[in-house]
Amino acid sequence: GWKDAISTTIINFNNEKMQITWAARELFPSENVSFSYTFAEGKNKVWKPCPTYLLDQDYNSGCLFKTEGPTLAISIRNSNGSEELFSKTLKSDFYIKPNRPENVTFFWKADTVTVSCNKPERGVKCLTLELQYKSKFDKDWQSRTSKCCSVGEQGFDPRKCYSFRVRLKRLVPYCNVVNYSSDWAAETFWMNGTLLDSCDDDIKSHSKTVTVLSCLLAALLVMLILLILLCKWQRLRKSVMPAIPDPKYIFADLFNDHNGNFQEWIDKTDHAVVQTKLEYEEPECIIEAESQQEGEKNCDKQEPQEKIFSFSGAAENNDSKAAEIACLMPTSNTIASFAGFQILMNDDMYVML
């Protein structure tokens, strides 16, 4: 009865290859056993030797061969094959381990993720698709299972990065006697529908964003400080060194009409005749420059008032006798323009401005 107690592990890889393994060192510590198999049924069985042995410390610990039918018979014998140590007949379809999902796609819509893969050629009704995911804040995987070959889940936070992995599972006990699942498909990393190389990229992107914002704020602060210092420097410079007025705004005609030619401008200014209308018509009083006192006697007495006269040609004639000046009563004020100068006469006094 010890032959029935031998433990073996049987795996049918997607109904393509069979793998039978046993604990060689524990079951047969002093002997290197041989293995044979057959998929034929009935009395006329043709036993085939193991094409590929699996070794454990140079001892045969398993056999790998091609799947050729639904019914399998195996036999383990001693090294020369003369004695059978273990035998078993089984249904190979009950030990299928599916291949990993192919062409896995992710579809994002708001907070819902739908994952799908290609349908296998055989045994689709016996398969389910398992989705596992976790964020960088989760310690354990969250699992969701659905019929092959699409599964969806809700409640994903678009601000978090998630790791996803999927695999196919065989239904137990309707299709398998052992709960076999495929290997996990390649793990992928997603954030709000965007595929990332890893969730570390999300952390790096946040750190880069913080760094860029910090640099911008620092630059703005430096610019503000520079503007404040510039304004203070301008005020200090104006207080210490007042600005010199630009003569072109004061003497507009010098620069606009004469293009800055001072000689031309002063010549035309000296020859200009300033004409001022008298506010009141008064009799003109002319005296000779020989005697100011005699001239004042010839002047008629008038009411105290102010008169402005213009003199022309006085600059060209140096003879004072030829010059014409205005005279008023001693109580009056007179302003006269003479050769570019102004003469203020008041109370027998002449003041040239």
Side-chain angles (χ1 to χ4, degrees):
W2 64 272
K3 292 183 180 180
D4 297 333
I6 293 178
S7 175
T8 58
T9 302
I10 304 168
I11 303 176
N12 184 359
F13 291 103
N14 200 39
N15 210 22
E16 297 173 357
K17 288 185 177 181
M18 297 292 300
Q19 177 180 290
I20 312 296
T21 58
W22 57 87
R25 300 298 296 168
E26 296 177 3
L27 298 174
F28 315 107
S30 59
E31 189 172 6
N32 198 6
V33 298
S34 62
F35 179 87
S36 60
Y37 69 96
T38 182
F39 285 94
E41 298 182 13
K43 295 181 180 180
N44 299 323
K45 293 181 180 180
V46 179
W47 293 90
K48 297 180 180 180
C50 177
T52 305
Y53 278 104
L54 303 177
L55 301 178
D56 180 13
Q57 298 180 5
D58 296 332
Y59 282 85
N60 297 334
S61 62
C63 182
L64 186 64
F65 54 95
K66 184 179 180 181
T67 304
E68 299 175 358
T71 303
L72 172 65
I74 60 175
S75 176
I76 297 177
R77 295 175 177 271
N78 57 7
S79 58
N80 57 17
S82 60
E83 182 184 359
E84 187 177 70
L85 303 176
F86 175 75
S87 64
K88 186 175 184 179
T89 301
L90 53 95
K91 290 291 185 180
S92 61
D93 292 344
F94 287 169
Y95 297 88
I96 294 177
K97 179 178 181 179
N99 289 338
R100 66 178 61 189
E102 296 180 353
N103 193 22
V104 180
T105 58
F106 290 79
F107 176 74
W108 288 73
K109 186 177 181 181
D111 65 339
T112 302
V113 177
T114 302
V115 183
S116 59
C117 66
N118 290 346
K119 290 184 178 181
E121 296 179 357
R122 295 176 292 180
V124 176
K125 294 182 179 179
C126 291
L127 296 174
T128 58
L129 182 64
E130 181 183 10
L131 169 67
Q132 287 191 347
Y133 60 91
K134 68 176 180 178
S135 69
K136 58 184 179 180
F137 304 103
D138 300 328
K139 294 182 179 180
D140 301 325
W141 290 92
Q142 307 295 321
S143 184
R144 178 78 165 86
T145 303
S146 181
K147 293 181 179 181
C148 186
C149 291
S150 179
V151 59
E153 185 60 45
Q154 297 178 341
F156 290 97
D157 190 342
R159 297 170 297 179
K160 294 181 180 179
C161 178
Y162 291 90
S163 303
F164 291 92
R165 63 182 184 180
V166 292
R167 66 180 177 180
L168 292 172
K169 298 179 66 175
R170 291 276 294 185
L171 292 175
V172 178
Y174 305 103
C175 300
N176 264 32
V177 295
V178 182
N179 189 11
Y180 280 150
S181 302
S182 70
D183 295 333
W184 291 104
E187 186 176 349
T188 56
F189 306 91
W190 295 80
M191 180 178 179
N192 195 21
T194 302
L195 179 63
L196 304 176
D197 293 335
S198 67
C199 284
D200 294 336
D201 294 343
D202 178 37
I203 300 175
K204 292 179 180 178
S205 63
H206 283 297
S207 62
K208 288 182 180 178
T209 303
V210 172
T211 303
V212 172
L213 291 177
S214 301
C215 293
L216 289 177
L217 291 175
L220 292 175
L221 182 60
V222 170
M223 292 177 63
L224 180 61
I225 294 174
L226 290 177
L227 288 176
I228 295 174
L229 293 177
L230 182 61
C231 293
K232 290 186 175 181
W233 167 249
Q234 292 289 345
R235 292 179 181 179
L236 179 62
R237 189 176 63 83
K238 288 181 179 180
S239 61
V240 176
M241 296 180 293
I244 300 174
D246 195 340
K248 70 179 181 180
Y249 298 107
I250 302 175
F251 304 100
D253 55 346
L254 171 63
F255 295 95
N256 295 335
D257 299 338
H258 303 284
N259 294 326
N261 192 330
F262 181 78
Q263 187 63 40
E264 180 182 343
W265 174 74
I266 197 63
D267 291 344
K268 288 194 175 185
T269 302
D270 289 344
H271 289 80
V273 178
V274 181
Q275 296 181 353
T276 306
K277 293 183 178 180
L278 297 177
E279 294 181 0
Y280 300 96
E281 292 184 359
E282 298 295 340
E284 185 178 9
C285 182
I286 303 175
I287 65 173
E288 294 182 357
E290 294 178 354
S291 175
Q292 177 182 354
Q293 296 179 355
E294 293 179 1
E296 292 177 356
K297 294 179 180 180
N298 295 331
C299 294
D300 296 333
K301 293 183 179 180
Q302 302 293 335
E303 294 295 328
Q305 51 193 320
E306 179 177 340
K307 300 300 178 180
I308 300 175
F309 294 90
S310 299
F311 298 88
S312 62
E316 297 177 358
N317 190 359
N318 295 327
D319 189 358
S320 60
K321 293 181 180 182
E324 295 180 356
I325 60 174
C327 69
L328 293 175
M329 293 299 292
T331 58
S332 64
N333 297 332
T334 302
I335 297 177
S337 181
F338 177 75
F341 299 95
Q342 289 183 342
I343 301 174
L344 175 62
M345 293 168 286
N346 184 18
D347 296 336
D348 299 336
M349 294 180 65
Y350 293 86
V351 180
M352 182 175 293
L353 305 177

